[in-house]
């Protein structure tokens, strides 16, 4: 797979130069530039590519970076960092520099650090190969210099996890069933470098604990288990390096051991490469052979890899962009566009990961102290779990990638559900005796509910298929959003999605069969008097609990069924059950505030448990109300008059109000919320938002802001494309976004007028509606 991606990268280089002739305002205007070193890891800068993320900073003359990679789960199902690197050059121009810069260069995806004194100027460039898991550190100086490097690991020994919040980093959260231990890594010197890896051995894992807790031991051998025999790590190497012993140290709240290397001779150029490998294997020897192959390819093809990587980034930025008031650099409106672009860069660092970007930090978490000073844990920590996925949050990381055209980056999230489909179907059949995939809201990377959310202290006789949790009970419908994303990807790209049809059908089948099953447990009839499903008990997100016919679920089922029935990937003979199910979906309910008709959260509900507004989910993500659709006044009334919606309104974290306002064409509301949502984070790096409700960097904070900005610029209804439906006329903007049916739309709006409109293919121009004057 990596070889194929590398070939694709070279192929990109054949035409990227042609594309560059039509490049809009340079992406490099948004480079993040620092003119002084950082105080600590909390002031780090992201760098990455492929499925690798680095946090880079300079502190007290040393250059540091954390190494993270997608899918590095230990036996507790925590996501582990791969370690920390420290580089020191001599003479050290970074210790008391007369000049200093550290730049994230978006056009090439690298971080460049430069320092100088009166005589010496030294540059350190750090970059990641997009197509192979190799990290490069290039040192160039105008004079011969030497360098020292050390690989620092806090997992040089087993570490006992405290019984407090520290287990929030793994699957056990606040309810560990036993003393939790993070196992040590294997680390040793290798020829010209250092080799390190973490191995999930034969001991009891989170997978084993969850299967037993939930009474599923009889199915264990049929279950997919991503933790068993997982090995991940890497090798650090360079031609001019030799061993330099070991040392002990402490960074922030965590002790570490360092394996040190140093250059053999001084030179104007020094280089290090870090090659990574992850595999499921019982043979460490085989794992090492594969790692050394990656290392050899990286050493041989560095210049070709660099060219392919640069060309990939160039094409990435030409595929989609948003430039706001480009002639007013550092204005608040310009900052919104800069932060949008930089956040998109963070997401692109996991374009080719096996696992999706986690909402609670992605690849860019650091020592937790710098987010919450009470949490004195290791750099492996992140709040709300590593292998645990919170679907309500994950969805906001991915919806925005449709209009950016980053379809390849969506595949890890789609494949996440495809891999765990069998497990979800097996548990449904075991507990309730019917078909369909029961995907819970807090779900492990093996498709079963998180054990803490499932509950260890459960009442006798409580349904074993249910999470015993006030927030999560009966919340099944978030998986429908990923089904909808898959179907939308087909509509945008025209690519066949046959491989995902069983997933979509299984999610729908669960609702059809489970709610008939529940109705028959209560009485003799499976359907109501109108021969429709009785969706009870249901849930309006985590907020409206024990709901009867929640509007968010009804809207989701109708939308996904309609999308599926329109899909070219669904065979004609497959359609009948879904046509029949569509007729069984009940209507949404409505209520009034001050004589204004609004969408109700559900027909009835028993309590309010959280602060979401699922009565607006028919607007987003389900796209049943909005510009160009009937019922727009009802949806606007819901936004403007529903007292719960007004009380819950915010821009923080996963809050979606900016998306709702944009979808409803409420320009001033959308503009004000966007200015708050995508303003600079209160940290050195401008898009390390959070923690919000989750962690730092908060990727569903950035994701919801990304979606809101896109919806202000371009919306679609059927074949129709609405331009600037919620855009403030005083903001100049130049953007290129993707639309359904393999369409791209480029617009330049200047001084309150449309200056440029390029629609590809040209035939789609007839579907454009100029929406900036719509009321």
């Amino acid at each position: 797979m990596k070889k194929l991606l590398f070939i694709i990268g070279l192929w990109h280089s054949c035409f990227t130069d042609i594309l560059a002739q039509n490049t809009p305002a340079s992406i490099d205007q948004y480079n993040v530039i620092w003119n002084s070193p950082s105080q600590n890891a909390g002031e780090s800068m992201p760098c990455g590519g492929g499925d690798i993320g680095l946090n880079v900073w300079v502190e007290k003359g040393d250059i540091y970076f954390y190494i993270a990679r997608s899918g590095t789960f230990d036996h507790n199902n925590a996501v582990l960092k791969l370690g920390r690197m420290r580089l020191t050059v001599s003479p050290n121009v970074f210790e008391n520099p007369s000049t200093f810069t550290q730049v994230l260069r978006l056009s090439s995806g690298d971080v460049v650090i430069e320092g100088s004194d009166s005589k010496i100027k030294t540059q350190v460039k750090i970059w990641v190969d997009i197509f192979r898991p190799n990290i490069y550190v290039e040192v160039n100086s105008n004079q011969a210099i030497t360098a020292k490097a050390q690989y620092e690991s806090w997992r040089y020994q087993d570490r006992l996890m405290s019984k407090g919040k520290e287990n929030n980093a793994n699957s056990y959260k606040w309810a560990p069933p036993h003393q939790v231990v993070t196992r040590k890594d294997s680390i040793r010197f290798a020829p010209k470098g250092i080799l390190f890896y973490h191995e999930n051995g034969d001991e009891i894992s989170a997978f084993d604990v969850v299967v037993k807790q939930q009474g599923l031991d009889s199915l264990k051998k049929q279950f997919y288990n991503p933790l068993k025999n997982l090995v991940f790590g890497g090798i650090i190497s360079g031609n001019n390096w030799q061993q330099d012993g070991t040392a002990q140290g402490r960074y922030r709240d965590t002790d570490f051991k360092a394996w040190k290397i140093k250059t053999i001779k001084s030179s104007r150029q020094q280089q290090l490469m870090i090659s990574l490998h992850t595999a499921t294997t019982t043979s460490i020897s085989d794992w090492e052979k594969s790692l050394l192959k990656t290392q050899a390819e990286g050493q041989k093809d560095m210049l070709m890899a660099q060219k392919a990587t640069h060309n990939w980034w160039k094409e990435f930025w030409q595929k989609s962009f948003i430039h706001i008031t480009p002639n007013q650099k550092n204005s608040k409106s310009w900052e919104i566009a800069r932060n949008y672009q930089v956040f998109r860069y963070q997401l692109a660092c996991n374009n080719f990961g096996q696992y999706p970007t986690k909402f609670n930090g992605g690849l860019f978490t650091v020592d937790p102290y710098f987010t919450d000073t009470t949490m004195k844990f290791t750099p492996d920590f992140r709040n709300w779990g590593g292998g645990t996925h919170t679907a309500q949050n994950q969805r906001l990381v991915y919806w925005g990638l449709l209009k950016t055209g980053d379809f390849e980056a969506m595949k890890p999230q789609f494949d996440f559900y495809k891999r765990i489909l069998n497990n979800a179907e097996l548990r449904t059949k075991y507990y309730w005796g019917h078909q369909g995939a029961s995907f819970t809201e807090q779900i492990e990377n093996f498709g079963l509910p998180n054990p803490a959310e499932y509950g260890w202290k459960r009442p006798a006789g409580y349904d074993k298929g249910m999470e015993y949790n006030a927030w999560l009970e009966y919340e099944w419908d978030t998986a429908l959003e990923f089904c909808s994303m898959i179907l939308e990807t087909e509509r945008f790209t025209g690519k066949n999605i046959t491989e995902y049809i069983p997933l979509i059908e299984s999610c729908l089948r669960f609702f059809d069969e489970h709610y008939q099953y529940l109705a028959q447990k209560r009485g003799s009839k499976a359907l109501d008097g109108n021969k429709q499903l009785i969706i009870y008990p249901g849930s309006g997100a985590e907020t409206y609990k024990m709901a009867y016919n929640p509007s968010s679920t009804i809207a989701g089922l109708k939308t996904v069924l309609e999308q599926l029935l329109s899909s070219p990937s669904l065979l004609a003979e497959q359609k009948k059950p879904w046509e029949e199910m569509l007729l069984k979906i009940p209507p949404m309910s409505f209520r009034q505030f001050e004589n204004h008709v609004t969408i109700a959260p559900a027909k009835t509900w028993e309590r309010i448990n959280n602060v979401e507004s699922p009565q607006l989910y028919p607007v987003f993500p389900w796209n049943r109300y909005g510009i160009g659709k009937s019922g727009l006044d009802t949806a606007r009334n819901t936004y403007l008059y529903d007292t719960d919606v007004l009380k819950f309104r915010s821009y923080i974290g996963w809050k979606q109000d900016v998306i709702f306002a944009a979808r409803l064409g409420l320009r001033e509301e959308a503009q004000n919320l966007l200015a708050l949502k995508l303003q600079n984070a209160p940290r050195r790096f401008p898009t390390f938002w959070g923690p919000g409700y989750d962690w730092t960097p908060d990727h569903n904070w950035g994701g919801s802001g990304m979606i809101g900005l896109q919806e202000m610029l371009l919306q679609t209804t059927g074949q129709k494309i609405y331009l600037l439906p919620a855009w403030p006329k005083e903001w100049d903007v130049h953007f290129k976004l993707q639309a359904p049916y393999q369409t791209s739309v480029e617009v330049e709006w200047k001084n309150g007028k449309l200056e440029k409109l390029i629609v590809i293919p040209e035939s789609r121009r007839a579907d454009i509606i100029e929406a900036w004057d719509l009321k």
Side-chain angles (χ1 to χ4, degrees):
M1 182 61 180
K2 287 293 182 182
K3 184 174 288 185
L4 174 62
L5 294 173
F6 182 70
I7 293 169
I8 292 170
L10 293 178
W11 176 68
H12 285 170
S13 69
C14 296
F15 63 86
T16 300
D17 292 339
I18 297 172
L19 289 173
Q21 295 173 11
N22 297 314
T23 300
S26 171
I27 193 66
D28 281 331
Q29 69 176 297
Y30 303 118
N31 289 348
V32 179
I33 303 172
W34 294 339
N35 293 310
S36 62
S38 297
Q39 299 297 311
N40 51 56
E43 297 183 353
S44 60
M45 178 179 283
C47 177
D51 64 352
I52 295 168
L54 313 175
N55 291 77
V56 182
W57 76 102
V58 180
E59 179 181 346
K60 296 179 181 177
D62 294 335
I63 297 169
Y64 292 82
F65 57 90
Y66 281 115
I67 307 169
R69 193 179 186 196
S70 175
T72 55
F73 307 110
D74 77 343
H75 73 289
N76 300 315
N77 217 12
V79 174
L80 302 186
K81 294 283 189 186
L82 293 177
R84 182 175 57 230
M85 287 297 300
R86 185 190 306 205
L87 175 72
T88 308
V89 297
S90 181
N92 192 348
V93 297
F94 300 113
E95 192 164 19
N96 293 295
S98 55
T99 66
F100 176 92
T101 58
Q102 178 175 336
V103 186
L104 170 59
R105 301 194 308 185
L106 295 172
S107 61
S108 50
D110 52 28
V111 167
V112 176
I113 303 163
E114 293 184 345
S116 68
D117 59 19
S118 58
K119 297 181 180 179
I120 301 178
K121 182 176 182 179
T122 301
Q123 180 195 81
V124 178
K125 181 166 69 175
I126 302 170
W127 61 279
V128 178
D129 184 351
I130 291 289
F131 303 104
R132 292 194 186 104
N134 289 315
I135 303 161
Y136 294 91
V137 181
E138 301 177 46
V139 184
N140 292 281
S141 185
N142 62 349
Q143 294 186 21
I145 61 171
T146 59
K148 293 184 177 182
Q150 58 188 51
Y151 172 75
E152 299 177 353
S153 176
W154 48 95
R155 295 195 305 274
Y156 65 94
Q157 61 182 350
D158 289 353
R159 304 193 79 94
L160 295 179
M161 307 288 279
S162 67
K163 293 184 179 180
K165 293 182 178 179
E166 190 168 12
N167 284 298
N168 276 11
N170 57 54
S171 289
Y172 301 125
K173 295 185 180 178
W174 60 85
H178 52 252
Q179 175 64 65
V180 179
V181 180
T182 300
R183 293 302 179 198
K184 67 179 181 180
D185 290 0
S186 296
I187 308 169
R188 68 174 189 267
F189 285 112
K192 300 180 182 178
I194 304 157
L195 186 142
F196 57 93
Y197 62 87
H198 188 93
E199 177 184 13
N200 290 347
D202 295 329
E203 66 186 299
I204 294 173
S205 71
F207 171 83
D208 301 307
V209 169
V210 170
V211 170
K212 184 175 182 179
Q213 176 205 37
Q214 297 173 18
L216 298 169
D217 279 313
S218 63
L219 302 176
K220 191 173 183 179
K221 291 183 179 179
Q222 300 178 59
F223 279 153
Y224 161 71
N225 179 0
L227 305 184
K228 187 176 182 179
N229 299 324
L230 186 66
V231 183
F232 49 86
I235 187 168
I236 303 160
S237 61
N239 289 328
N240 186 37
W241 295 82
Q242 62 184 349
Q243 299 175 19
D244 193 30
T246 61
Q248 301 285 132
R250 188 176 187 84
Y251 188 84
R252 193 48 252 175
D253 300 304
T254 308
D255 58 291
F256 65 84
K257 185 175 180 179
W259 280 256
K260 303 192 297 180
I261 54 177
K262 63 182 179 181
T263 52
I264 299 170
K265 57 184 179 181
S266 61
S267 173
R268 291 187 178 188
Q269 295 181 323
Q270 309 285 0
Q271 187 183 105
L272 272 177
M273 185 178 75
I274 306 170
S275 302
L276 305 179
H277 183 53
T278 302
T280 298
T281 179
T282 57
S283 171
I284 294 298
S285 176
D286 288 347
W287 179 87
E288 284 192 29
K289 287 177 184 177
S290 296
L291 172 65
L292 294 177
K293 182 181 179 183
T294 298
Q295 178 194 38
E297 291 171 344
Q299 290 170 338
K300 178 183 178 182
D301 298 331
M302 190 197 84
L303 293 179
M304 293 178 65
Q306 190 168 52
K307 182 179 174 75
T309 293
H310 283 184
N311 285 331
W312 188 89
W313 281 114
K314 285 179 183 178
E315 187 186 349
F316 176 80
W317 295 117
Q318 290 160 0
K319 179 169 52 180
S320 170
F321 55 81
I322 298 175
H323 304 300
I324 306 173
T325 57
N327 296 322
Q328 300 175 31
K329 189 171 182 179
N330 297 320
S331 66
K332 289 297 181 183
S333 52
W334 180 91
E335 281 182 0
I336 288 170
R338 190 272 308 278
N339 292 345
Y340 171 91
Q341 253 80 228
V342 172
F343 179 70
R344 185 176 169 225
Y345 169 83
Q346 290 173 222
L347 296 182
C349 291
N350 192 32
N351 249 43
F352 300 122
Q354 183 180 2
Y355 283 87
T357 299
K358 282 297 302 291
F359 72 95
N360 53 347
L363 296 171
F364 300 112
T365 59
V366 297
D367 309 68
Y369 176 90
F370 302 118
T371 294
D372 184 335
T373 57
T374 68
M375 294 186 175
K376 299 181 179 181
F377 310 139
T378 78
D380 289 329
F381 182 87
R382 70 178 69 217
N383 214 13
W384 298 110
T388 306
H389 286 246
T390 305
Q392 280 271 8
N393 302 60
Q394 285 296 127
R395 67 197 180 93
L396 294 171
V397 179
Y398 282 93
W399 273 116
L401 300 185
L402 286 168
K403 286 194 169 111
T404 62
D406 298 326
F407 306 114
E408 59 195 358
M410 303 180 80
K411 184 173 172 55
Q413 181 65 74
F414 299 162
D415 287 350
F416 171 85
Y417 277 96
K418 189 174 76 168
R419 279 195 301 271
I420 62 178
L421 173 61
N422 182 61
N423 291 15
E425 290 178 331
L426 285 171
R427 75 182 296 273
T428 298
K429 186 70 173 176
Y430 183 82
Y431 290 134
W432 302 304
H434 63 74
Q435 304 298 315
S438 55
F439 289 116
T440 55
E441 171 61 16
Q442 289 275 355
I443 196 166
E444 297 298 285
N445 51 7
F446 43 84
L448 304 180
N450 172 264
E453 312 284 0
Y454 182 82
W456 289 97
K457 298 178 180 179
R458 298 164 60 89
Y462 191 78
D463 187 335
K464 289 186 177 181
M466 290 289 300
E467 292 168 292
Y468 186 60
N469 182 292
W471 284 263
L472 304 178
E473 59 192 8
Y474 298 102
E475 187 175 2
W476 320 98
D477 58 359
T478 319
L480 293 173
E481 291 199 40
F482 298 105
C483 296
S484 182
M485 273 186 226
I486 293 168
L487 289 157
E488 279 293 270
T489 301
E490 179 187 46
R491 200 165 68 99
F492 271 70
T493 66
K495 293 181 180 178
N496 187 282
I497 59 162
T498 300
E499 64 176 310
Y500 299 111
I501 292 295
L503 166 66
I504 297 166
E505 290 184 312
S506 193
C507 288
L508 291 168
R509 187 173 292 114
F510 172 78
F511 277 91
D512 191 15
E513 298 197 15
H514 193 65
Y515 278 101
Q516 292 189 63
Y517 161 84
L518 290 177
Q520 287 179 312
K521 286 191 71 174
R522 293 191 301 268
S524 61
K525 296 291 185 180
L527 301 173
D528 69 9
N530 295 316
K531 297 184 179 180
Q532 292 177 321
L533 292 173
I534 306 162
I535 304 176
Y536 178 82
S539 187
E542 294 183 22
T543 299
Y544 296 90
K545 304 304 295 184
M546 300 302 288
Y548 186 109
N549 286 357
S551 294
S552 52
T553 304
I554 290 168
L557 288 169
K558 284 188 174 181
T559 295
V560 174
L561 283 163
E562 290 166 358
Q563 289 175 312
L564 179 61
L565 288 167
S566 299
S567 169
S569 300
L570 186 73
L571 301 176
E573 57 267 29
Q574 295 175 287
K575 291 187 176 183
K576 185 176 179 181
W578 310 122
E579 292 170 338
E580 292 174 350
M581 183 177 175
L582 185 57
L583 295 174
K584 288 187 284 189
I585 306 303
M588 289 189 293
S589 298
F590 299 89
R591 57 178 174 170
Q592 289 192 356
F593 293 88
E594 303 175 17
N595 296 319
H596 299 287
V597 176
T598 68
I599 305 165
K603 191 170 184 178
T604 62
W605 57 93
E606 293 183 8
R607 68 180 190 277
I608 294 178
N609 223 67
N610 208 335
V611 290
E612 299 148 319
S613 299
Q615 53 268 61
L616 284 168
Y617 285 20
V619 176
F620 173 83
W622 300 122
N623 207 22
R624 307 195 71 79
Y625 294 89
I627 302 299
K629 298 179 177 67
S630 62
L632 177 59
D633 286 348
T634 300
R636 283 180 171 173
N637 287 345
T638 310
Y639 182 92
L640 295 170
Y641 299 106
D642 185 310
T643 55
D644 291 340
V645 171
L646 293 171
K647 181 169 61 176
F648 298 156
R649 186 158 299 157
S650 174
Y651 66 92
I652 291 170
W654 42 255
K655 289 288 188 173
Q656 299 161 221
D657 298 284
V658 64
I659 307 173
F660 299 146
R663 278 271 173 105
L664 298 173
L666 301 172
R667 284 185 174 82
E668 187 174 350
E669 284 274 342
Q671 180 183 15
N672 292 338
L673 286 164
L674 183 72
L676 294 169
K677 179 70 95 170
L678 291 184
Q679 67 183 320
N680 288 344
R683 301 175 186 278
R684 190 169 201 193
F685 197 76
T687 59
F688 279 7
W689 295 290
Y693 299 96
D694 301 307
W695 200 238
T696 301
D698 185 343
H699 277 54
N700 52 187
W701 186 316
S704 55
M706 170 183 273
I707 300 162
L709 173 55
Q710 293 170 350
E711 295 298 313
M712 291 170 69
L713 293 167
L714 186 147
Q715 295 180 34
T716 60
T717 296
Q719 295 277 348
K720 299 300 182 184
I721 302 171
Y722 292 84
L723 298 185
L724 308 175
W727 193 251
K729 293 184 178 181
E730 67 273 18
W731 280 2
D732 293 349
V733 65
H734 182 193
F735 71 86
K736 180 181 178 183
L737 293 171
Q738 307 302 310
Y741 311 112
Q742 302 171 69
T743 303
S744 71
V745 179
E746 183 176 348
V747 168
E748 188 166 6
W749 173 267
K750 194 171 183 179
N751 298 322
K753 295 181 180 179
L754 183 66
E755 296 285 339
K756 180 198 290 187
L757 173 61
I758 301 173
V759 184
I760 302 174
E762 178 66 24
S763 60
R764 291 278 274 141
R765 183 181 286 267
D767 296 320
I768 295 290
I769 296 176
E770 298 174 353
W772 48 85
D773 287 326
L774 290 180
K775 301 299 183 184

